[in-house]
Amino acid sequence: MAENRASEYPEGTPCWVDAQLPDVEAGRRFYGELFGWTFEDQPQGTVRALKDGKPVASLAHKTDGRLPTVWTVSFTTPDAEALCRRIRAAGGQVVSPPAPFGDLGVTALVTDPEGAVFSLWQPGTTPGFGRRHEPGTFAWVQLYTRDTDTANTFYGGLFHDALFGPDTDPDFGRAPVSDVFAAEMPPHFLVHFAVEDVDAGLREVTRLGGRVQVPPFETSYGTAAVVTDNQGASFALLHR
């Protein structure tokens, strides 16, 4: 199991997750009960989720009702501007160019060539997760894509050391959409949170007003189940 202490992540390491929600207060109640999170206010109207006092995620108000209610993963980079140029050159797009997020860091929103959305995080005072790989914290992110070869080429070119370097243990996998979802599902990232018991987690999700999207299934990285919260944001529970 990897250490919980936030460290200097190699470029391309998943380092943060955030949810865009219509109702942040409802999100606080849902995730606070589900994962035992507490919360503190952050810049630009977001709240940061804490597990045992350490930062693990953030919730933000969705400013445009046409935008999806979704969890987004951020990959770390020492230079968001330079990485955006490389993403464009590799066939991706920059949705929101790099912008400061208080003194915490610099963030940008981008897509891969198939349209899967992810964020970049250039650390300032906050490198990323304070805790991970334990119950109630980030455990894995899976890209569901139509073309895994293209995805491996794209992300391998951007994040080679984090994915394929010596002694790496990446938290990022790629799989065909059809492995879990209907073939018409758009390519997307699915954030996984660790739980001690997937079935118990599913009961709690349902009790809190969420729903089970895909029941438990076995993967190479553990037992997973896909759920939505009480506002429609999809995520997965994972036991490893």
Side-chain angles (χ1 to χ4, degrees):
M1 179 175 292
E3 64 180 9
N4 286 312
R5 182 179 60 83
S7 59
E8 292 299 322
Y9 299 120
E11 184 170 50
T13 303
C15 68
W16 196 248
V17 290
D18 64 272
Q20 300 288 324
L21 303 173
D23 186 338
V24 171
E25 286 304 311
R28 289 168 70 129
R29 292 190 295 271
F30 181 92
Y31 291 103
E33 290 197 45
L34 180 63
F35 293 138
W37 292 351
T38 58
F39 299 91
E40 62 183 15
D41 292 336
Q42 289 290 289
Q44 302 178 22
T46 66
V47 295
R48 184 162 65 172
L50 308 175
K51 181 71 174 179
D52 299 328
K54 300 295 185 181
V56 294
S58 57
L59 310 179
H61 176 65
K62 187 171 65 171
T63 57
D64 187 336
R66 295 169 296 182
L67 296 174
T69 301
V70 66
W71 277 97
T72 302
V73 62
S74 294
F75 294 93
T76 193
T77 177
D79 188 335
E81 291 279 1
L83 184 51
C84 282
R85 290 192 294 270
R86 289 161 50 207
I87 286 169
R88 287 193 189 97
Q93 296 184 18
V94 176
V95 179
S96 299
F101 192 78
D103 64 351
L104 302 180
V106 173
T107 184
L109 190 67
V110 298
T111 76
D112 68 16
E114 288 196 301
V117 177
F118 60 102
S119 289
L120 311 179
W121 181 251
Q122 178 183 320
T125 59
T126 300
F129 298 121
R131 303 188 80 86
R132 56 180 179 158
H133 301 162
E134 62 181 51
T137 71
F138 170 84
W140 184 266
V141 66
Q142 188 80 344
L143 171 65
Y144 286 100
T145 179
R146 300 206 190 288
D147 186 338
T148 53
D149 288 340
T150 295
N152 286 335
T153 297
F154 177 80
Y155 292 99
L158 295 179
F159 304 143
H160 182 273
D161 288 347
L163 290 174
F164 305 119
D167 302 320
T168 58
D169 186 16
D171 296 328
F172 170 26
R174 282 79 58 208
V177 168
S178 57
D179 277 6
V180 174
F181 300 99
E184 61 269 19
M185 174 72 77
H188 65 285
F189 284 92
L190 183 67
V191 172
H192 293 52
F193 294 103
V195 292
E196 293 180 345
D197 184 320
V198 172
D199 289 331
L202 294 180
R203 291 192 292 270
E204 189 70 358
V205 165
T206 302
R207 183 186 72 81
L208 293 168
R211 66 182 182 88
V212 179
Q213 193 172 2
V214 182
F217 58 98
E218 295 302 317
T219 76
S220 61
Y221 49 89
T223 302
V226 185
V227 300
T228 63
D229 67 16
N230 57 346
Q231 300 182 68
S234 295
F235 61 98
L237 305 179
L238 178 67
H239 177 73
R240 306 184 77 174

